Amino acid sequence: MNDIIEMLQDLSETVPVPLELPTFEQLVEVEEQILISLPNDLKEYLLFGSDVIYGAIEMVTASDPYSHTYLPEVTSYAWSVGMPREYIAICQQGDNFYCIDQEANVRFFKNGRMADIMWESLWDWIQDIWLKRK
């Protein structure tokens, strides 16, 4: 996990207005808004790596409620288009979403259905999808 976050930090693009990492209190607020606990992998990513901007994939964030990547907004929209409520969106691509469950399994919700592909951790998904799609 630390190696992947370190790699993301090294690859992160410099932008005029950088993203901020959330506080633990902000993560609690996010959980209260969506009424579901964040899996540990996602908490760790949000606390230590969610300030990364890299490539075409935009991961959810938890520090700015006005951002288009704010986790509660992205997740509630995903739920409104049919993503099962036991999942939390981690990345939006149009009306399709990569999402995570309480066991930290990552799935792809596309065209109103869960795809068969699954990653056993957020870190596997980051390596297989995000880091390979520049």
Side-chain angles (χ1 to χ4, degrees):
M1 181 265 320
N2 289 334
D3 292 343
I4 293 173
I5 288 179
E6 203 171 288
M7 186 183 316
L8 286 170
Q9 295 290 353
D10 290 344
L11 293 169
S12 188
E13 300 166 18
T14 303
V15 294
V17 180
L19 298 173
E20 292 184 20
L21 293 173
T23 63
F24 184 77
E25 290 76 23
Q26 286 172 311
L27 292 188
V28 171
E29 289 174 20
V30 163
E31 290 177 323
E32 289 173 350
Q33 288 179 40
I34 64 172
L35 302 174
I36 188 171
S37 298
L38 300 176
N40 286 336
D41 281 3
L42 184 55
K43 282 182 187 177
E44 290 174 22
Y45 166 77
L46 290 168
L47 287 169
F48 304 109
S50 63
D51 59 341
V52 169
I53 296 175
Y54 174 71
I57 290 182
E58 289 184 286
M59 291 282 290
V60 292
T61 58
S63 62
D64 181 3
Y66 299 104
S67 173
H68 68 285
T69 57
Y70 188 55
L71 188 150
E73 295 300 319
V74 175
T75 297
S76 63
Y77 178 68
W79 289 337
S80 78
V81 296
M83 187 180 79
R85 284 203 45 99
E86 64 267 19
Y87 289 92
I88 299 168
I90 59 168
C91 175
Q92 180 176 1
Q93 296 183 324
D95 281 340
N96 302 319
F97 301 85
Y98 287 99
C99 53
I100 193 167
D101 65 18
Q102 291 300 299
E103 288 77 40
N105 297 307
V106 175
R107 304 277 309 268
F108 188 49
F109 181 75
K110 181 177 182 180
N111 300 325
R113 295 189 188 147
M114 283 294 182
D116 290 335
I117 192 163
M118 183 181 80
W119 295 266
E120 293 184 5
S121 75
L122 179 61
W123 313 114
D124 291 342
W125 178 84
I126 288 172
Q127 286 183 306
D128 291 350
I129 301 298
W130 191 11
L131 292 177
K132 291 185 180 175
R133 290 198 185 164
K134 173 80 176 153

